[in-house]
Amino acid sequence: MGSLKEVRSSIEEAYKKKLDRPRIIVGLGTCGMAAGGTKVMAAIETEVEKLGLDVDLDFTSCIGMCYAEPVVEMGLPGAASVVYGGVYPEDVAQLIESHMVNKTPVTDKAEIQISAGGATYEGIPVMEKSPYYEKQVRSVTSRLGRTNPERIEDYIATGGYAGLEKALTMEPQEIINQVKISGLRGRGGGGFPTGTKWQFVADAVGDKKYIVCNADEGDPGAFMDRSVLEGDPHAIMEGMMIAGYAIGANEGVIYCRAEYPLAIKRLNMAIAVAEEMGILGDNIMGTDFNFKLRIKAGAGAFVCGEETALLNSIEGKRGMPRVRPPFPAHKGLWQKPTCLNNVETFANIPFIVRNGGDWYASMGTEKSKGSKVFCLTGKINNTGLAEVPMGITLREVVFNIAGGIADGKKFKAVQSGGPSGGCLPAEQLDLPIDYDSLISGGAMMGSGGLVVMDEGTCMVDVAKFFLNFTQLESCGKCTPCREGTKRLLEILERICDGLGVPEDIDTLERLAKTIKTSALCALGQTAPNPVLTTLRYFRNEYEAHINEKRCPAGVCPELLTYAIVEDKCVGCGVCIKACPVGAITGEKKAAHTIDASKCVKCGACVPKCKFDAIVQA
């Protein structure tokens, strides 16, 4: 294929006509499918056929509102399209009859409306003004939920491959300079300046260079890379091709964990169709630039998110980190100079090349430019995917975008940066979200997971949970990580079991700091962060577990006791039937009692009592 401009105008025209047709679009990202989106699509197909409607059916990826899945968008010519949430097969007939036949949206199921120049409806929030999207900026996520990720035409019609087209007219150093001007820092967690890394690889001596995309997302509570891979696969490919042209590489590898089958499927489809169109392969767009791309499915080891362990895995070796230096920029894949960035970093590149580095640098803070995609999970009302400008505060994200704490409970902490991140308390809610501020608070940006915790969370138990994860995922190569995390976990388990001693707190701090400064790779160096931040902000909970043998949040089973309030108990006997070990006894219509020596502290009796007579202490 020659210039993309030769076919772009016809593709854009066809896309406009597509938007000017009656259409129903179902969200079929992994979250949508898990919530039942495939069954909803089948019900829609049946209903449309039954009514004989002239309607286009299509699917898209996750639009970000995971809390509202399954999501269905309905649009009529000349009017805003409406995104309905919580749509199940039994809702389909009513929605189609009202919206598509009678042209009247069902407001009680409508989440947002997307105008795109069409007339808007009363009583439905416009996307940009809705609580969930008002504080967001959407560039990396701009196509998620808006285009069909399996159609390259949708990608091209929305500006796709215009960045590559422009890049091929520029000098490679010009591109690197624009990336430097943008201030983009690696979105995988390290935060290293992307332009500087590209310059290292461009300047490195080698007869062969590689581009590698780290798509080995393994943090608990993180799914931003998966969402981008599923929703906009061409954007990552385009970013990698631009990087290849800039640093002099003609081959790239996407290392994607095998637990992301939909992402791998859509990437494979995108690679095949791009090769067919001459956008990927030899003599791209009629130039002398060649670039080949393949996918390596990873087996799902968390340590393979570390760049040198990832490179070992691609080479067929055990996924263990290498000692640095040399760094991958000089000796990476197959000992050749290698540029390794993560999914979100590459997805930003086409926008930076198209709009210029200054455009990107106009967003964010002085040292953290642009936007960042976060996964919002935990005890919040709105779980999902949000792209926000750097510098926004944790409070704005938790209480505006995420809709605050679920079930009317109080905020307690937010875990930023995945299992190696830190837990920040309420006093830190006004902390700006940027690389340096989060580190100053004891946490880190990480890849972008935010796990929100409420007042019912035990922070010692949280530290134990994350240490258990990192200890299991340690590759075992270096002693500080292999043995140190195990010892940390043993102490935390002892404290949660009521066997802690006062010296444990000092031991935890000393051991955690030693691991941070002596472990071989980032996994070990950051693994103690949950311990250090919970000690820093929630030391009183450790002291209560150790000195008072009490879990303030009422979570640690070994520190709980159950009792029956005599004045409230009516002697109905329901709790006796619920107790699996016969620890509760008593006569009918008389106050019951719990034998502490028999009670296994399962808590099964508590929700069964309609009189709130069973208390936990």
Side-chain angles (χ1 to χ4, degrees), residues 51-95:
L51 296 176
L53 297 179
D54 181 22
V55 172
D56 293 337
L57 302 183
D58 205 350
F59 65 88
T60 185
S61 58
C62 172
I63 197 171
M65 300 186 300
C66 300
Y67 63 91
E69 294 284 0
V71 167
V72 175
E73 178 182 340
M74 294 189 179
L76 293 165
S81 59
V82 176
V83 178
Y84 295 100
V87 179
Y88 297 97
E90 57 268 28
D91 304 318
V92 166
Q94 184 210 357
L95 284 175

Side-chain angles (χ1 to χ4, degrees), residues 514-572:
T514 302
I515 296 169
K516 277 183 73 72
T517 55
S518 58
L520 174 62
C521 79
L523 188 152
Q525 291 160 8
T526 56
N529 283 345
V531 176
L532 290 171
T533 52
T534 50
L535 277 171
R536 177 175 172 181
Y537 295 117
F538 302 96
R539 181 178 287 260
N540 61 326
E541 293 199 24
Y542 282 86
E543 291 169 346
H545 281 70
I546 294 170
N547 301 329
E548 303 169 31
K549 305 303 177 191
R550 179 175 65 86
C551 175
V555 171
C556 297
E558 295 302 324
L559 298 178
L560 298 181
T561 57
Y562 290 89
I564 293 177
V565 180
E566 189 174 340
D567 293 345
K568 290 186 177 181
C569 180
V570 299
C572 67

